[in-house]
Amino acid sequence: MPLSKNALTRYQLINECFTNPRKRYWSIEEIIEKAESRDIQMARRTLEQDLHDMRDDARLNYHAPIAYSKKNNGHHYKDANYSIEKLPLSADEIETFELMVESFNRFKGAEVLNQGEGMFDKLGKVAGQLKHKKTKLGYSPILFERIPYNNGMEHFDALYQAIIKQNPLLICYKKFDNAKAKEHTFHPYLLKEYKFRWYLLGYNQKSKNKLLLALDRIESVAAVKIPFIPYKGKEPEKYFDNTIGVTIKDSGVKEIQLWFSHAQGNYIKTQQLHETRQIISDTSDGLIVTLQLIINYELLQTLLAFGPEMKVLEPTSLKEEMRGMLDRILELYKD
């Protein structure tokens, strides 16, 4: 049962009243008065409904032992040790909790979460302990892919803040194939992840074009007091709509036609290579699909991974690039 913030605040206040060791019995008027002292709006009818829900609503899952004492003219918990804060998590809640912690762990190394990293580590251990108490397994039934730490994550927070505040930056950037770093006056628009590595899309003021920088090659980031140049065109997140990976070429979007073996085709039908995929034919001879993509290095890598289970049918330019890469691979194994 999803709770609104206001309802949860009221439940917590009621629970605070009934668990008060110095005052066990509370009249409706006293609870409302306490709520008003906290600037919490609570009409009598709302409070009566809250008491009913905390006691009887199975979706809420409190099953609070709330009772009314005529002698003491007030409501109370029949079980003096009860508190909604002591309720155990359900198996579904623990699983959701674990997934949430794992999601945050993907950002480890980012300064924006540095203060919480220790907390997430502790929460992960707590979730594991709770789960093991509720199952007979001595191990986690969920195995996440391990996410490696990459250089450059120390700049994540500064880049993120620069994007949302639209602050230009002076970025010192060193390519892998260049011995000397280069400075870019950069207007940042978007952070993108691909295969556990982060990239920054922005506008290079000197070359006057969009540029993508890998965070693991950024050496330093500094603020620059110049007017910010807003993104031109569609929304920044649509910049990568017709790509696999992060490399954008000027060749434009091409219609790509691929053949997959019958066995491999079954996998392709259940997990799309790209959202533009269209099935042209599906027979015992194989699966033929089309994709609307920019031809880049990441696409070639993806297609090569299918080995003999895939063949490029169109366009000719992509077939030639694939053939060239395969020839170079074969050359390596001639010895």
Side-chain angles (χ1 to χ4, degrees):
M1 177 183 180
L3 296 179
S4 69
K5 183 178 179 181
N6 290 339
L8 183 58
T9 300
R10 297 196 305 270
Y11 298 151
Q12 289 172 337
L13 182 133
I14 294 169
N15 183 71
E16 182 182 333
C17 291
F18 293 163
T19 56
N20 188 332
R22 293 184 295 274
K23 179 176 173 59
R24 187 176 182 188
Y25 300 94
W26 290 77
S27 67
I28 294 291
E29 291 73 22
E30 287 174 329
I31 297 175
I32 292 176
E33 183 179 347
K34 187 174 184 66
E36 290 176 348
S37 71
R38 303 274 186 88
D39 293 324
I40 299 172
Q41 298 299 317
M42 186 182 288
R44 183 185 186 92
R45 184 174 179 180
T46 301
L47 174 56
E48 290 173 344
Q49 184 63 49
D50 286 345
L51 294 173
H52 173 272
D53 291 343
M54 290 177 69
R55 182 178 57 244
D56 300 321
D57 195 323
R59 296 171 300 169
L60 197 58
N61 202 34
Y62 283 165
H63 304 296
I66 298 173
Y68 178 75
S69 170
K70 289 185 177 180
K71 178 181 178 181
N72 297 284
N73 189 30
H75 291 80
H76 68 291
Y77 284 153
K78 289 189 290 185
D79 180 356
N81 294 318
Y82 176 87
S83 171
I84 63 173
E85 295 178 353
K86 296 180 181 180
L87 292 178
L89 295 174
S90 68
D92 287 343
E93 289 170 330
I94 292 172
E95 183 177 347
T96 301
F97 186 47
E98 277 193 303
L99 292 171
M100 179 186 70
V101 173
E102 179 64 22
S103 296
F104 277 111
N105 282 338
R106 291 177 178 270
F107 292 87
K108 272 195 170 182
E111 292 181 14
V112 70
L113 292 181
N114 267 358
Q115 293 181 351
E117 279 192 6
M119 177 186 69
F120 291 129
D121 288 339
K122 293 175 183 177
L123 290 176
K125 292 176 182 177
V126 169
Q129 291 172 0
L130 290 171
K131 177 188 63 188
H132 292 154
K133 288 179 181 178
K134 287 187 171 289
T135 70
K136 296 180 181 179
L137 294 176
Y139 61 90
S140 171
I142 303 173
L143 182 62
F144 291 97
E145 185 171 356
R146 297 297 179 186
I147 301 172
Y149 174 80
N150 294 308
N151 292 335
M153 287 303 293
E154 64 272 18
H155 303 305
F156 188 97
D157 186 63
L159 299 176
Y160 172 80
Q161 294 296 332
I163 291 171
I164 62 175
K165 294 177 181 178
Q166 296 191 317
N167 292 334
L169 300 169
L170 182 65
I171 296 177
C172 187
Y173 189 79
K174 184 179 179 181
K175 292 183 177 180
F176 287 143
D177 58 355
N178 198 325
K180 189 176 181 180
K182 184 178 180 181
E183 287 189 340
H184 297 274
T185 301
F186 205 75
H187 302 262
Y189 301 136
L190 182 75
L191 283 160
K192 176 176 172 60
E193 182 193 19
Y194 179 66
K195 290 189 174 181
F196 307 137
R197 291 182 181 271
W198 285 91
Y199 300 84
L200 176 69
L201 173 67
Y203 180 79
N204 187 330
Q205 187 159 313
K206 185 176 181 180
S207 60
K208 300 186 185 303
N209 61 1
K210 294 185 181 75
L211 186 64
L212 194 72
L213 303 179
L215 264 64
D216 59 2
R217 279 158 264 176
I218 293 177
E219 296 194 342
S220 65
V221 175
V224 181
K225 292 185 178 180
I226 58 175
F228 184 80
I229 299 176
Y231 185 86
K232 294 181 180 178
K234 296 180 180 179
E235 295 89 344
E237 61 268 26
K238 295 192 178 294
Y239 184 75
F240 298 96
D241 275 0
N242 291 95
T243 62
I244 288 178
V246 294
T247 307
I248 306 292
K249 290 188 175 182
D250 296 332
S251 56
V253 177
K254 305 291 184 183
E255 180 168 290
I256 298 166
Q257 192 173 108
L258 306 173
W259 168 87
F260 292 93
S261 68
H262 180 69
Q264 187 64 57
N266 290 327
Y267 289 98
I268 297 300
K269 284 184 289 186
T270 58
Q271 186 174 27
Q272 294 196 62
L273 280 172
H274 191 265
E275 61 184 11
T276 60
R277 187 209 71 186
Q278 295 291 328
I279 296 176
I280 303 302
S281 68
D282 183 12
T283 68
S284 59
D285 294 328
L287 177 74
I288 297 177
V289 303
T290 60
L291 303 167
Q292 306 297 323
L293 292 173
I294 293 171
I295 297 174
N296 60 11
Y297 182 73
E298 293 95 315
L299 172 62
L300 291 168
Q301 283 185 315
T302 301
L303 298 181
L304 283 170
F306 291 106
E309 305 297 320
M310 187 282 308
K311 179 181 178 180
V312 175
L313 301 179
E314 296 289 345
T316 301
S317 60
L318 179 56
K319 291 172 67 175
E320 291 175 349
E321 285 196 62
M322 288 288 289
R323 187 180 294 113
M325 291 192 75
L326 290 168
D327 286 342
R328 291 195 294 274
I329 292 171
L330 288 172
E331 191 68 28
L332 294 172
Y333 291 94
K334 279 189 174 181
D335 295 338

